[in-house]
Amino acid sequence: MSEPGGVAADQLRAFVERVERLEEEKKVISDDIKDVYAEAKGNGFDVKILRKVVSLRKKQPHEREEEEAVLDLYLHALGMAGPAEG
């Protein structure tokens, strides 16, 4: 069912409505995640560190090792790291 300009209005409406439903689901999930972090904080956990742990768990071990090596290099270059091990 084509409309002027070659746009299928029913199909377009269906896509828009699907995106709107998914956006609403995303908001609900985001709120749930906030609730979990608030619960963790209420139980004495450091939410900033907890978020970092979640982020690190998403990465492959070689990605984490590479990031840590570059961070260490930068910290040493800025004089922010302890004495070099050796």
Side-chain angles (χ1 to χ4, degrees):
M1 179 180 284
S2 267
E3 299 294 323
V7 175
D10 291 341
Q11 189 177 24
L12 177 59
R13 185 175 295 107
F15 284 131
V16 170
E17 289 171 356
R18 284 172 54 196
V19 168
E20 289 171 342
R21 279 192 307 274
L22 290 169
E23 288 288 344
E24 181 58 34
E25 289 176 25
K26 183 170 75 169
K27 183 185 180 319
V28 169
I29 290 171
S30 178
D31 290 344
D32 290 347
I33 291 169
K34 288 178 188 175
D35 291 345
V36 171
Y37 281 120
E39 183 180 347
K41 183 176 183 176
N43 282 289
F45 290 96
D46 185 318
V47 173
K48 183 177 177 182
I49 301 302
L50 187 57
R51 287 183 187 276
K52 182 68 175 175
V53 169
V54 170
S55 173
L56 288 171
R57 285 176 49 103
K58 292 178 186 177
K59 297 178 184 182
Q60 296 294 320
H62 70 277
E63 290 176 303
R64 288 194 310 265
E65 291 167 4
E66 183 178 321
E67 251 184 44
E68 289 170 6
V70 173
L71 176 61
D72 188 54
L73 175 68
Y74 287 8
L75 291 175
H76 276 87
L78 295 171
M80 296 174 64
E85 295 177 17

